[in-house]
Amino acid sequence: MNDDYLIRTNDTGFDRVLAFSVPGRHARGRVVRLGPVLETVLGAHDYPPVIKHLLAEALVLTALIGALLKEEGSQLTMQAQSEGGAVDLLVCDYRGGEVRGYVRHDDAALEALDGETSLEVLFGQGYLAITFDLAATGERYQGVVPLEGASLAQACEAYFARSEQIPSLIRVAVRSNGPRCVGGGLLIQHLPESEEGKERLHTREDRLEWEHVSILGGSIRAEELVDPVLTLEDLVWRLFHDEEEVRVEPLAPLERGCRCTVDHYRSILSRFPEEQRVEMRDPDGLIPVDCAFCSKVLRIPV
C-alpha cells in the first residue's frame, strides 16, 4: 500500500467512519467504531443486556450503510418488524453523521427465551426494511428481506445481495462492560457498475477479485473491531497492506441525532385538524409528545 493514500493518526477515533477503496480490486468499504455516541443512545432506556446488544449491533450497521450516502441531507432508515417474538420493532436511522435507534420488546417474552439470542427466536416471523431517502431528488428506495440468519449483519448482507445485487461482506462486533459499550463494523462491497464502468460481479464468471477481497475482509477479528488502541486507518492497513493502492477518506464524525424539538413536533402537529388537536391537549392546553428514541416527553404549544 502506498503511504500517500493512508492517513495515520494517534487518535483512536471513537464515533467516526473511515471510507476506503481498493481500486485494483474494484472494491469499496466503510469501517466504523462507536463509543460515547453508542452509550448515549443505549442509555435512553433501561434495556436488558440482550436488547442492548441487539440495538448496538443495529446502530453500527446503520452507521456503516448510512455512510454510503453521498448527498447532504439524505437519510438511511433500517427497520425490523415482526410477530411472535420478544422484539416486535427495531428502528434506527442515519442522516449527515447523526444516528439514533430504538427497540420495542416484551420483557416477559424475553425472559422466557432463557438466553436464546438468534434472530428467529428474538423476532419470530419478521422482515428487515432498508430505506434510502435521497435529499437532492426526493426519491426513496426501499428493499425488504426476511429476518433470517444468525445476526442482523447477515440479514443486511442478504439485503444487498437480493435488493441491490451488490456482493457485500459485513462484520460487526460489540463489547459491553456495564454501562460502557464499544461497537465496531466493517463493510466491503464490489463497486457498482456506475462507479468503475464494469458489469456487476454477479453477472461475471470470474469472481477472483471479489473472492480475494472478501477473504481478506473476512479475516478481521471481533476484538480488532472494538480495540480502543487500534485506529481505523491501522485496521485497513492490516487487511490490505499488500494491495498496490488503497485510498482512505475520513467522513463526518458520528453524533447522536434525535430530532425531538418543539419546533419539529409543532410542525407535524400543525398538519392535524384543529378538532383533533383539541382532543390531544392536556389541561394546560399543551400536547404531550413522547419521543421513543430519547425517552423524553415534550409538551407542545400548538
Side-chain angles (χ1 to χ4, degrees), residues 67-81:
L68 296 173
L69 291 166
K70 297 179 180 179
E71 298 175 355
E72 184 177 352
S74 295
Q75 178 170 310
L76 175 282
T77 302
M78 184 169 70
Q79 182 171 320
Q81 288 189 277

Side-chain angles (χ1 to χ4, degrees), residues 130-134 137 139-143 159 164:
I130 295 180
T131 307
F132 293 91
D133 289 290
L134 306 183
T137 62
E139 293 178 289
R140 166 175 286 195
Y141 300 96
Q142 184 180 74
Y159 159 79
E164 302 288 338

Side-chain angles (χ1 to χ4, degrees), residues 34-35 38-39 42 47-57 173-184 226:
L34 284 168
L38 184 61
E39 293 170 358
L42 297 176
Y47 292 115
V50 170
I51 301 301
K52 182 178 178 181
H53 187 96
L54 177 71
L55 181 55
E57 180 183 5
V174 174
R175 184 174 67 193
S176 296
N177 182 13
R180 311 299 298 177
C181 188
V182 176
V226 295

Side-chain angles (χ1 to χ4, degrees), residues 104-124:
R104 188 173 64 205
H105 68 284
D106 184 301
D107 283 321
L110 187 66
E111 187 175 351
L113 298 182
D114 196 27
E116 291 287 334
T117 60
S118 68
L119 288 187
E120 181 180 2
V121 169
L122 285 175
F123 286 94

Side-chain angles (χ1 to χ4, degrees), residues 215-228:
I215 288 172
L216 292 178
S219 70
I220 193 73
R221 302 191 307 274
E223 55 266 29
E224 291 177 297
L225 289 171
V226 295
D227 185 345

